[in-house]
Each structure stands twice: as structure tokens, then as C-alpha cells.
């Protein structure tokens, strides 16, 4: 579960430079911002935040690489409870950056945000509020499911 999001010192400048370079790059930055926002709100849903590259990333341990469209990539790194936003750029630039930083684990990062806790949906809050000692709850569970759940205990 992610508790903090940190940005590499050069990340904000990379975004500004890309926004000035054209509409495709601007869309890539917008997609990256949407992914980061999703991760701030959902904290551990890396697969649903955006499109991860198919092969993953082996040059950096715990690295995530997202496709942003039109050949742009967003590179992130998970370190315990911190997610570090490392790099945004074209496919070729990202490849070069990863080769240059292959195997590193210490990155300079500036801005660090604490991610707010997830808010539960109304149904989840209601489920949490149920009293397990209430006699009607267990009666709602079908016996075949109970046999599957508790198989091997008897």
C-alpha cells in the first residue's frame, strides 16, 4: 500500500518541456497526470491506473512502466510505502534513461506528498458495520460455500 508519492527532481521540468513541444506530448503528460491521480486515490491499483508495458521492466527492481500513447512512457519505482515518479518521455528517451540508470535504487527526489487514506464505498461501510454475532448473517450463506471455505478443518 502506497503512503507517499515522491517526484524525481527533474520530473516537473520534463513535463513542462513536453507540454511546450506539441499536442501529442501534451496528451502524454495529461495521461501521466491521470495515472498519478488514480494512484493517489487508489494507492495500490497499479494495473487499473493505466496500460503497463507488456514485458515489464527488468533494468530497475520494482519498476513500473506505463504506456501514455503515441510512444511516450511514464516510469515509476515502488520502494516500500513510497512511489517515486521517475521519468516521462518518448519510448527512445525512456529506453536511454533506463539504460543509464540500470540497477540504481537511490534517486534524488524533491517533492513528497502523503497520500490520503482510501475512502470506502457506502456498501463497504455497511458491510463493515454488520455484527458477526447477529444470528441472521450466517443463515444467508449457502451451505455449499461454507463447505468450500472450511474444507480440511474437520
Amino acid at each position: 500500500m502506497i503512503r507517499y508519492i515522491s517526484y524525481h527532481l527533474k520530473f516537473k521540468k520534463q513535463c513542462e518541456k513536453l507540454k511546450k513541444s506539441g499536442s501529442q506530448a501534451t496528451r502524454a503528460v495529461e495521461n501521466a497526470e491521470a495515472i498519478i491521480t488514480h494512484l493517489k486515490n487508489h494507492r495500490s491499483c497499479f494495473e487499473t491506473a493505466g496500460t503497463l508495458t507488456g514485458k515489464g521492466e527488468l533494468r530497475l527492481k520494482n519498476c513500473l512502466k506505463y504506456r501514455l500513447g503515441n510512444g511516450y512512457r511514464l516510469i515509476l519505482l515502488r520502494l516500500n510505502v513510497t512511489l517515486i515518479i521517475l521519468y516521462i518521455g518518448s519510448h527512445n528517451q525512456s529506453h536511454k534513461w533506463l539504460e543509464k540508470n540500470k540497477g540504481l535504487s537511490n534517486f534524488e527526489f524533491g517533492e513528497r506528498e502523503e497520500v490520503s487514506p482510501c475512502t470506502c464505498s457506502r456498501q463497504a461501510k455497511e458491510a463493515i458495520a454488520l455484527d458477526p454475532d447477529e444470528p441472521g448473517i450466517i443463515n444467508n450463506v449457502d451451505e455449499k460455500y461454507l463447505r468450500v471455505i472450511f474444507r480440511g478443518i474437520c
Side-chain angles (χ1 to χ4, degrees):
M1 184 78 59
I2 299 300
R3 290 190 54 210
Y4 303 99
I5 291 184
S6 299
Y7 295 87
H8 190 277
L9 288 173
K10 297 179 181 177
F11 182 78
K12 300 282 184 181
K13 290 180 183 177
Q14 292 165 350
C15 288
E16 290 171 16
K17 185 178 175 182
L18 286 173
K19 283 181 180 178
K20 292 177 183 175
S21 68
S23 64
Q24 290 181 346
T26 301
R27 258 186 260 126
V29 172
E30 290 169 355
N31 289 343
E33 289 169 348
I35 289 170
I36 293 166
T37 300
H38 180 87
L39 292 171
K40 285 179 184 178
N41 293 334
H42 296 92
R43 295 169 49 149
S44 63
C45 301
F46 299 107
E47 293 80 18
T48 60
T51 306
L52 289 165
T53 56
K55 297 180 182 177
E57 188 50 58
L58 301 174
R59 290 171 277 198
L60 290 175
K61 188 176 180 181
N62 297 321
C63 182
L64 299 163
K65 190 165 66 171
Y66 286 96
R67 289 189 177 118
L68 300 175
N70 297 311
Y72 289 90
R73 302 288 186 261
L74 174 66
I75 301 171
L76 313 173
L77 185 69
R78 284 186 289 178
L79 293 176
N80 298 323
V81 295
T82 303
L83 183 68
I84 303 173
I85 315 297
L86 291 174
Y87 188 82
I88 185 172
S90 69
H91 182 270
N92 290 339
Q93 292 168 334
S94 298
H95 175 75
K96 289 176 186 174
W97 188 89
L98 283 164
E99 283 297 320
K100 180 181 171 188
N101 295 288
K102 189 180 207 175
L104 288 179
S105 60
N106 288 336
F107 292 95
E108 295 178 4
F109 53 89
E111 194 178 323
R112 180 177 174 177
E113 299 175 25
E114 187 166 358
V115 179
S116 60
C118 295
T119 54
C120 295
S121 67
R122 186 173 55 87
Q123 289 119 347
K125 286 179 183 175
E126 288 172 2
I128 292 168
L130 291 175
D131 182 7
D133 295 329
E134 185 181 315
I137 289 178
I138 199 69
N139 294 336
N140 294 335
V141 180
D142 193 51
E143 188 175 337
K144 70 177 182 179
Y145 294 116
L146 290 173
R147 289 184 188 281
V148 171
I149 293 168
F150 296 107
R151 182 183 308 154
I153 292 179
C154 298

